[in-house]
Amino acid sequence: MSTQTVPQLLRQQLAILAESDQRIDGRGRWEMREIDLEVGCLYNAEGSAKVTWGDTVIYAGVKFEIRTPYDDRPAQGSLMCGSELRPVAHRKYDPGPPSPESIELGRVVDRGIRESGCIDMANLCIVPGEKVWMVVIDIHVLSDGGNLFDAAGLAAIAALRNATVPAARFDVGEDYQLPVSLTPIMTTFTRVGGRLVYDANEEEELGGDERVSVTLGDTGAMHSMQKGLKGTFTPPELAEILDVAAEHCKNLRELVDSKVN
Amino acid sequence: MGGYGDVKLLNDDGSRLDGRAIDEMRPVEIRAGVLPVADGSAYVKHGLNEAIVAVYGPMEAHPRRIQLQDQAVLDVRYNMAPFSTSDRIRPGFNRRSREISKVTAEALSSVVLVERYPRSKIRVEIEILSAEAGTRCVGITAAAVALADAGIPMRDLLVGVAAGKVEDTVVLDLDKAEDNYGQADLPMGIMPATGEIAFMQMDGDLSMDELNTAVEYCFKGAADIYELQKAALKDRYNGGDSQ
């Protein structure tokens, strides 16, 4: 894909569509693409989920490792969430060490989960000062059809809620379901044709500007926000998307609830 | 091959621990066209192994020093997802994945009509989602279907299949225990229509007679997988009635 000509023509088209309140794939401004969520789909992962979100396909897998705790938190486990934008996901991705884009994706998802407090780190202690669990969530993007952030966030929390702590395999007791008390959900808005829309697809991202991601917890509290890419937005715009976000988060949380026990 | 002789791998009636006959494969499931943004893609589940392959191209070969004047370069990456094994794998390339990528690229280059696309590159991304012995074979089986799905001309499909030896008996398609504690492992890439071998590795201990039996088993297994590959490709175009 040429780096200049195509986005310029696309930007013009997106701007024309936006003037008459239209989107390039016929959706409404706040409308979501079709989603499919599967949980427990990976044999060797202790928790897993596959999200198909429009043309985006993402797997998340949860693994556990035993670590010595940090000195200042001897009775607390830890959490790590990473993502890989491997070349399998799109022809635009090159092989090599993790790109800034893939690091940002992993860290934004990580913050939404961590800061919601959905995992009580005290529950991950095995022997205080000696052994604690580290929960590792790996986000594996197989197809980038746009809005990786929301799809990755959904896959990560669904995989966590599906996870079993493999205590028997590590000889530290019996297996048990990982306690996850909340279901933080991320929603992302992208400026397309001059206005913010929800759930941008691949073309809208290519011809769009900044993105704003918000993660909301079960009570509606905000747990992470991230503005990315070039562009600016105003406080009234933020207030508007937060209202839309609340509605989508509620629906997506119900979807997760319906798939995990 | 791990320490053999100390783990029982065959039942008293000669069957295997998972109940299979010695020349019986694990169940195989193949689907073509599973990834929306790739030019071609395939999913293969073989026993508990799961692989997804995306193909991009043919495209201009970058960087230019990798270009070949008279043929296309196959840029193959075999990668195990961090959650694909019981102990998490640290992301990124390692010596094992580099070697498998190299020999897989060479095997696929023997099947694809690379001379049709001088100075270009075809990217083949093999992602192992779940590993339970035999992932390189599953990757090859899936890569061939993904290349065909991308419309890239080939002399034949390529089937990845392995035979091996457990308790002095040659068996088809080692599972994890047999791979870990068996006496030999022979993964092959077979072109079933032409009867050629495009990929072969082996480690362990095999006599000439055992090798002949193992190769025979591999060809037998490849013939079965070949039918599933063709059915998956036909399914892409007729709404799912071939399987």
Side-chain angles (χ1 to χ4, degrees):
Chain A
M1 224 168 279
S2 161
T3 48
Q4 282 305 320
T5 319
V6 173
Q8 286 311 323
L9 293 170
L10 186 59
R11 288 180 80 86
Q12 287 170 20
Q13 192 196 355
L14 292 170
I16 292 166
L17 286 167
E19 273 173 29
S20 52
D21 195 26
Q22 286 180 296
R23 289 176 74 173
I24 197 159
D25 59 3
R27 273 185 295 157
R29 185 177 174 191
W30 308 127
E31 199 180 328
M32 189 169 70
R33 289 172 294 173
E34 208 165 296
I35 294 187
D36 185 55
L37 171 65
E38 275 176 63
V39 299
C41 45
L42 293 168
Y43 175 74
N44 272 325
E46 271 77 46
S48 58
K50 177 190 179 187
V51 170
T52 307
W53 188 312
D55 281 349
T56 291
V57 181
I58 294 187
Y59 282 83
V62 177
K63 297 295 295 178
F64 291 82
E65 291 173 6
I66 292 182
R67 289 290 177 92
T68 50
Y70 296 112
D71 289 341
D72 56 340
R73 276 168 289 172
Q76 298 205 342
S78 57
L79 173 78
M80 183 176 104
C81 178
S83 72
E84 282 193 273
L85 288 176
R86 296 189 44 74
V88 65
H90 201 281
R91 57 201 305 152
K92 69 188 174 189
Y93 295 126
D94 296 318
S99 61
E101 287 73 23
S102 72
I103 292 170
E104 182 193 20
L105 174 62
R107 286 180 58 86
V108 172
V109 174
D110 184 300
R111 285 200 288 274
I113 289 169
R114 183 185 304 277
E115 301 303 327
S116 75
C118 68
I119 294 180
D120 183 351
M121 298 297 169
N123 280 336
L124 299 174
C125 181
I126 305 165
V127 180
E130 285 179 30
K131 277 186 189 175
V132 296
W133 291 109
M134 178 168 79
V135 187
V136 187
I137 310 163
D138 282 294
I139 293 164
H140 211 61
V141 182
L142 285 182
S143 178
D144 178 1
N147 198 9
L148 291 183
F149 280 71
D150 293 357
L154 187 69
I157 189 63
L160 273 180
R161 288 198 49 189
N162 170 248
T164 300
V165 182
R169 188 158 64 80
F170 286 87
D171 262 340
V172 289
E174 284 178 26
D175 290 359
Y176 59 96
Q177 172 104 31
L178 176 70
V180 182
S181 59
L182 298 163
T183 309
I185 301 283
M186 178 149 50
T187 50
T188 296
F189 298 82
T190 304
R191 187 172 305 278
V192 178
R195 59 174 188 166
L196 290 168
V197 302
Y198 173 59
D199 183 29
N201 69 17
E202 190 186 344
E203 283 180 298
E204 290 176 319
E205 286 185 351
L206 184 64
D209 297 296
E210 84 276 10
R211 98 177 107 64
V212 182
S213 302
V214 184
T215 305
L216 300 182
D218 296 36
T219 61
M222 265 167 269
H223 296 302
S224 81
M225 293 203 276
Q226 179 94 344
K227 182 258 165 180
L229 305 178
K230 186 181 156 208
T232 59
F233 61 99
T234 62
E237 283 179 323
L238 180 61
E240 185 177 29
I241 63 173
L242 287 174
D243 278 346
V244 181
E247 183 64 25
H248 282 297
C249 286
K250 183 170 155 284
N251 295 337
L252 288 166
R253 190 170 296 115
E254 283 169 9
L255 174 68
V256 176
D257 285 341
S258 73
K259 301 284 177 170
V260 296
N261 40 356
Chain B
M1 299 289 97
Y4 42 81
D6 46 355
V7 175
K8 198 167 162 48
L9 293 169
L10 292 176
N11 296 315
D12 292 335
D13 63 359
S15 67
R16 295 153 81 176
L17 293 188
D18 62 1
R20 282 184 292 156
I22 54 170
D23 60 348
E24 188 179 342
M25 253 181 338
R26 291 171 287 181
V28 178
E29 187 189 322
I30 305 179
R31 289 202 305 275
V34 294
L35 296 178
V37 306
D39 295 327
S41 60
Y43 164 86
V44 174
K45 183 166 189 185
H46 184 136
L48 296 170
N49 293 301
E50 285 183 80
I52 284 190
V53 175
V55 168
Y56 293 95
M59 58 177 88
E60 192 181 353
H62 278 300
R64 277 185 74 168
R65 65 184 150 77
I66 68 164
Q67 286 187 6
L68 297 176
Q69 295 310 305
D70 57 348
Q71 57 182 279
V73 175
L74 260 67
D75 181 19
V76 176
R77 257 171 301 281
Y78 162 99
N79 178 61
M80 294 179 85
F83 43 71
S84 64
T85 50
S86 60
D87 288 334
R88 177 174 180 267
I89 302 176
R90 193 178 278 269
F93 258 124
N94 54 44
R95 286 166 59 85
R96 176 179 173 276
S97 63
R98 272 187 198 277
E99 184 206 346
I100 293 174
S101 300
K102 176 184 181 287
V103 287
T104 301
E106 289 155 354
L108 292 170
S109 302
S110 322
V111 181
V112 170
L113 296 179
V114 284
E115 58 278 12
R116 295 267 184 101
Y117 304 103
R119 290 185 293 280
S120 61
K121 171 170 88 172
I122 299 167
R123 264 174 49 194
V124 179
E125 309 288 348
I126 302 171
E127 295 288 334
I128 305 299
L129 300 174
S130 181
E132 203 71 4
T135 55
R136 71 196 69 192
C137 291
V138 182
I140 287 170
T141 299
V145 175
L147 282 161
D149 182 48
I152 290 169
M154 299 155 79
R155 293 163 60 211
D156 193 0
L157 290 170
L158 188 63
V159 179
V161 62
K165 183 166 79 164
V166 297
E167 291 194 26
D168 295 322
T169 305
V170 175
V171 298
L172 174 62
D173 187 26
L174 303 176
D175 65 20
K176 194 176 184 196
E178 292 169 339
D179 189 31
N180 286 351
Y181 303 109
Q183 295 156 288
D185 182 15
L186 174 74
M188 301 187 96
I190 290 170
M191 298 162 68
T194 65
E196 291 165 273
I197 298 165
F199 179 97
M200 187 176 74
Q201 294 185 303
M202 184 264 170
D203 66 337
D205 184 328
L206 279 183
S207 71
M208 206 57 87
D209 283 345
E210 287 166 342
L211 174 70
N212 289 335
T213 309
V215 172
E216 183 193 317
Y217 284 0
C218 280
F219 271 84
K220 178 178 169 294
D224 293 343
I225 295 177
Y226 190 47
E227 294 306 316
L228 297 173
Q229 285 179 314
K230 289 189 287 187
L233 287 163
K234 286 180 189 163
D235 263 11
R236 268 282 258 168
Y237 300 98
N238 70 4
D241 290 333
S242 303
Q243 276 183 319

